[in-house]
Amino acid sequence: HEGGALKPFHYGSHYSSMAIVLFYLLRVEPFTTAALQLQDGVFDLSDRLFHSVAATWDHCARSTNDVKELIPEMYYSCAHLRNDNGFEFGGRQDGARVDDVLLPPWAKDCPHEFTRQMRAALESEPVSQRLHLWLDLVFGVKQRGQAAVEALNVFHGTYDSAEDLGLIEDPFERERTVQQVLQFGQTPPQLFSSPHPPRAAGPSIERALGAIAQVRAGLRGSSAEKNLPDASAVAGALQSRKGGGCEVLALLRGAEGRRLLALDARLETHSWAWSSGAAGAAGELG
């Protein structure tokens, strides 16, 4: 407060808080129990529960009152998308029962496919080229001050250094501050005082995962066909050329047949010139 008036802000709640984490992880213990404790022993109204990826995205995109970010589990786990514990979440006003999370059409009604594509998107080049902009907003130069105002990035409530609980003598005011942080979140410490540099360009996991998918789909062949060397031979080549071996996950031959691509267990790619042997003989690494 300044002179009894609220400081100007763009958003009344934060992008991450205990309530947001429990919103997404409602179907998985111990988060189910924590969500019940937050709601005095009952689940929230069915229409306010996480029931659809599309509906959640639409609400966040249209309302400045809903600024929650996705949680890390969206990129590596699918347990929170299924109601394997059979919890009763009730029915929505449109009559639909809340059970497993409804997924976008591109996920093909498969939680594993949803998580795989989310991970691929996170590791994609377009995201890599812009990730530093997110860091500037959340942990960097646009988190507070005039830069935050210009970036429309000012939040109502507590910043990490704005409230020192030890200095609040009134027990009711101290409890109010604690509950505000728990319910609505808190802006994290500012880690960077200058613009964060963009991520360096290089081989992406997205391309590596795409290579594995192509091999499995049989689009470019495998080590068992097209006269390619076996994985152990390539692993030996990696050891001799790089000073340390690593398990080979996949082998591909380029469409023109003159390049060999190996993907190792570190998700690093290696490429050689490849000459096929005559009359079925083994080829050679160039």
Side-chain angles (χ1 to χ4, degrees):
H1 292 73
E2 289 182 348
L6 286 174
K7 293 181 181 180
F9 59 88
H10 297 112
Y11 311 104
S13 62
H14 286 77
Y15 34 79
S16 181
S17 66
M18 180 180 69
I20 291 174
V21 172
L22 296 179
F23 171 82
Y24 286 117
L25 299 181
L26 179 66
R27 293 163 176 81
V28 183
E29 288 286 15
F31 305 100
T32 308
T33 298
L36 288 171
Q37 293 172 345
L38 187 65
Q39 294 290 332
D40 295 325
V42 296
F43 290 119
D44 199 358
L45 296 176
S46 301
D47 286 88
R48 293 206 295 244
L49 299 178
F50 180 39
H51 77 284
S52 164
V53 172
T56 301
W57 161 259
D58 185 69
H59 195 265
C60 291
R62 293 174 180 269
S63 174
T64 56
N65 293 322
D66 188 352
V67 295
K68 57 178 169 284
E69 288 191 344
L70 294 178
I71 56 175
E73 284 81 356
M74 284 287 189
Y75 303 98
Y76 71 83
S77 174
C78 58
H80 63 288
L81 301 173
R82 301 189 304 258
N83 186 20
D84 289 341
N85 291 312
F87 294 118
E88 273 294 333
F89 298 123
R92 295 169 49 80
Q93 292 186 35
D94 59 9
R97 302 294 297 176
V98 178
D99 193 28
D100 293 345
V101 176
L102 301 179
L103 302 176
W106 47 260
K108 303 175 183 177
D109 201 29
C110 175
H112 290 280
E113 178 64 12
F114 173 83
T115 306
R116 185 191 71 80
Q117 293 211 40
M118 290 290 287
R119 179 62 174 268
L122 178 65
E123 299 290 354
S124 67
E125 289 300 321
V127 173
S128 293
Q129 294 168 6
R130 294 167 176 82
L131 191 59
H132 63 289
L133 303 177
W134 175 82
L135 289 169
D136 286 344
L137 291 170
V138 178
F139 297 104
V141 294
K142 296 182 179 180
Q143 187 202 76
R144 58 189 73 193
Q146 185 58 33
V149 174
E150 295 173 357
L152 305 180
N153 193 43
V154 179
F155 292 83
H156 169 57
T158 53
Y159 284 71
D160 73 289
S161 59
E163 300 285 357
D164 187 341
L165 294 179
L167 299 178
I168 302 177
E169 297 181 358
D170 186 337
F172 296 102
E173 180 65 17
R174 187 186 304 113
E175 179 61 21
R176 183 201 65 79
T177 302
V178 169
Q179 290 303 319
Q180 181 173 333
V181 171
L182 291 177
Q183 300 291 335
F184 300 103
Q186 181 183 37
T187 302
Q190 186 177 21
L191 302 181
F192 309 109
S193 58
S194 59
H196 198 284
R199 181 177 178 182
S204 68
I205 293 179
E206 177 196 32
R207 289 197 294 270
L209 295 178
I212 295 176
Q214 287 181 334
V215 170
R216 290 178 174 174
L219 297 179
R220 292 192 179 182
S222 67
S223 58
E225 60 182 6
K226 295 187 180 180
N227 204 27
L228 295 181
D230 60 28
S232 61
V234 176
L238 293 180
Q239 185 170 16
S240 62
R241 297 184 184 200
K242 297 192 58 142
C246 189
E247 180 185 0
V248 174
L249 299 180
L251 294 173
L252 299 92
R253 188 168 63 177
E256 77 289 346
R258 294 189 296 273
R259 302 296 298 175
L260 181 70
L261 176 69
L263 179 69
D264 68 24
R266 292 185 294 261
L267 294 182
E268 294 180 355
T269 56
H270 313 272
S271 180
W272 298 274
W274 172 252
S275 58
S276 299
E284 296 180 353
L285 293 174

